[in-house]
Amino acid sequence: MTGLDRRPAAATEATLPRGPLAGFAAGSLGMGVWVTVPGLLLLYFLTDVLAVEPWLAGLALLLPKVADVLLHPWVGHRADVEQTRRGDRRRLLLLGCALPVAFAALFAVPGGLTGAPAAAWVAVFFVAGNLLFAAYQVPYLATPADLRIGYHERTRLMAFRMVVLTLGILVSGLLAPLLTGGNAATRAGYQRMGVVLAVGMLAAMLVGVAGIARLRGSAAAAAPAAHGGWRALRTALRDRQFRWLVAAYLAMSTTTHLVLAGVPYYAEYELRAPALTTVLVAAFVAPALLVTPLWLLLARRVGKQRALLGAQGAFAAGSLVLAVGRPAGLPVLIGAVAVLGVAFAGMQLLPFSMLPDVIGAAGAAGAGTYTGVWTATEATGAALGPYAYALCLAVGGFVASTAGESPVQPDAALAAVRYGFGLLPAVAMLAALLLQRRYTLDATARAAS
């Protein structure tokens, strides 16, 4: 049943124990590394270490993500098959725990490769990593829909996940540039960074697998769907509320990944201090550790939809300040990035807690397939964001280089660095806000809980 007339099935507002919640959330530490480090450093790694032209670097990051549009729904289909046959999705989760191997290989480009061959190496391991990430992420994010919990408890569950995910993003976002060598980053530094963070990823992801098992044991799990897979995929694609939520999230994901990809360039070419990369990352991510509980309280008071619209508006406003650049002053710019971080926390918590509301309203069949479409959308945004920024650089005539080189960039390239980091995200986030306004399920889901 789809459309405005549907009514969500009532869910038991059970309170999940904190221990299993923390175990579940721990899996997001490893996921946070994959979400953050390639988005933060991979485009810069290609253009300023491996001498890959911006347009080709953008394609090397975009084309592997195109495959995700098909791979994630297929993984969701397999997750539903596993849930129906075995009563859980554990085997896919364990397969996904091979992701750290692909992550380490991504930055272990052989010393003789530069330009197009180096881009091909990165693209191949990016495809492998995306598939393994899907194998873990899809069943992981289907967990809230698998449990018999209600509107507010879903938000609480995802708040735990958001805090730990933010910690993973913050730690990896700060450590990765330092492990590469900072201002003197080298190929060997990137390889060292990949291995060190891969070890931490593996440990966190295994804890997450155990945490999901404990959650399923501590709360009544929903009965396995009688159908799923491709039938559920058709249901998801016909679901009007799901389509609007997914479209808005695509714009949000694209925007946030665009900003993340632009951080090293903005620090080096606009602020003229590459070391400020870590400061900007901290300003973007750290506020989420403090404000996630506040977003949870706001969602309880005004609803998830209204809170999310406020987050999108704040992100657009902060982005416009960044478009001003150096004349605004460093404290103002760091403050604007912090505003983006506060908004980012809401845009991570709220849509992910709205997704199980949509699945519940559709009858809870095919949760894995719904989640597969959702994560495919997220992956697409993760590709489109860096690609859009790479196109800005290419249009501005940005000059690629190898590690240790410092080419003089034309004025048009410097303008592209600034406006691509500020003005373009503001426009994209306003588009997300307009799309999000078309979602109307929240009031009904809240009343039914």
Side-chain angles (χ1 to χ4, degrees):
M1 181 165 50
T2 60
L4 296 177
D5 59 337
R6 63 187 179 174
R7 293 293 183 267
T12 303
E13 190 70 5
T15 300
L16 298 171
R18 290 191 176 186
L21 276 175
F24 164 79
S28 288
L29 277 173
M31 295 168 67
V33 177
W34 181 258
V35 168
T36 305
V37 177
L40 176 64
L41 294 180
L42 205 51
L43 181 61
Y44 186 85
F45 178 55
L46 288 166
T47 61
D48 284 47
V49 177
L50 303 178
V52 179
E53 292 298 324
W55 68 270
L56 180 57
L59 283 178
L61 303 185
L62 175 66
L63 293 179
K65 290 288 188 177
V66 171
D68 286 347
V69 176
L70 298 176
L71 287 177
H72 280 248
W74 178 79
V75 171
H77 163 71
R78 296 307 311 169
D80 284 337
V81 170
E82 290 286 302
Q83 173 73 0
T84 301
R85 291 178 179 175
R86 298 168 52 88
D88 61 44
R89 310 174 196 269
R90 183 181 178 87
R91 290 201 301 186
L92 273 176
L93 285 163
L94 291 174
L95 174 62
C97 288
L99 173 63
V101 176
F103 176 81
L106 191 63
F107 293 98
V109 180
L113 296 184
T114 58
W121 174 282
V122 169
V124 167
F125 283 102
F126 208 25
V127 170
N130 287 335
L131 178 58
L132 292 170
F133 183 66
Y136 192 92
Q137 185 190 35
V138 171
Y140 181 91
L141 292 179
T143 299
D146 286 340
L147 303 176
R148 292 193 184 277
I149 55 177
Y151 177 89
H152 293 301
E153 193 63 13
R154 291 166 186 156
T155 312
R156 178 172 173 261
L157 172 61
M158 298 313 289
F160 267 77
R161 181 242 180 195
M162 178 58 199
V163 170
V164 178
L165 175 65
T166 301
L167 184 62
I169 293 172
L170 179 61
V171 171
S172 62
L174 296 179
L175 281 181
L178 296 177
L179 291 172
T180 62
N183 294 343
T186 62
R187 286 173 179 260
Y190 276 93
Q191 184 174 2
R192 177 178 61 247
M193 177 272 295
V195 172
V196 171
L197 293 185
V199 173
M201 287 175 70
L202 179 59
M205 293 171 76
L206 289 173
V207 172
V209 174
I212 290 175
R214 293 182 63 196
L215 267 185
R216 295 176 68 93
S218 64
H227 63 82
W230 306 125
R231 180 178 173 186
L233 178 60
R234 290 194 299 270
T235 301
L237 296 178
R238 293 171 180 170
D239 188 330
R240 182 174 179 272
Q241 297 295 328
F242 183 63
R243 290 201 307 269
W244 287 122
L245 186 63
V246 162
Y249 189 69
L250 174 61
M252 285 185 278
S253 178
T254 300
T255 306
T256 54
H257 283 91
L258 186 158
V259 169
L260 194 62
V263 165
Y265 297 93
Y266 196 78
E268 179 171 351
Y269 297 105
E270 177 62 27
L271 303 182
R272 300 174 183 174
L276 286 176
T277 295
T278 55
V279 176
L280 295 179
V281 170
F284 183 68
V285 179
L289 292 173
L290 302 175
V291 303
T292 295
L294 299 180
W295 282 114
L296 176 60
L297 291 175
L298 184 62
R300 286 182 175 273
R301 182 178 294 272
V302 304
K304 303 174 193 180
Q305 168 77 337
R306 292 176 63 185
L308 180 54
L309 292 173
Q312 292 166 334
F315 196 102
S319 298
L320 289 175
V321 175
L322 294 172
V324 177
R326 282 195 315 277
L330 184 59
V332 172
L333 295 176
I334 292 177
V337 173
V339 170
L340 265 59
V342 171
F344 173 73
M347 292 189 300
Q348 284 293 296
L349 169 63
L350 300 168
F352 279 89
S353 63
M354 295 162 87
L355 174 62
D357 294 339
V358 173
I359 295 172
T369 305
Y370 266 79
T371 306
V373 175
W374 179 269
T375 57
T377 301
E378 183 180 29
T380 302
L384 290 177
Y387 183 67
Y389 196 78
L391 284 182
C392 284
L393 297 179
V395 169
F398 185 88
V399 180
S401 60
T402 58
E405 294 181 351
S406 299
V408 177
Q409 300 292 347
D411 290 342
L414 298 177
V417 167
R418 181 172 69 255
Y419 293 128
F421 191 70
L423 186 59
L424 186 56
V427 173
M429 192 54 68
L430 287 175
L433 189 152
L434 293 175
L435 290 167
Q436 186 64 44
R437 285 175 58 87
R438 304 299 298 271
Y439 176 83
T440 59
L441 178 65
D442 193 60
T444 303
R446 189 182 183 196
S449 179

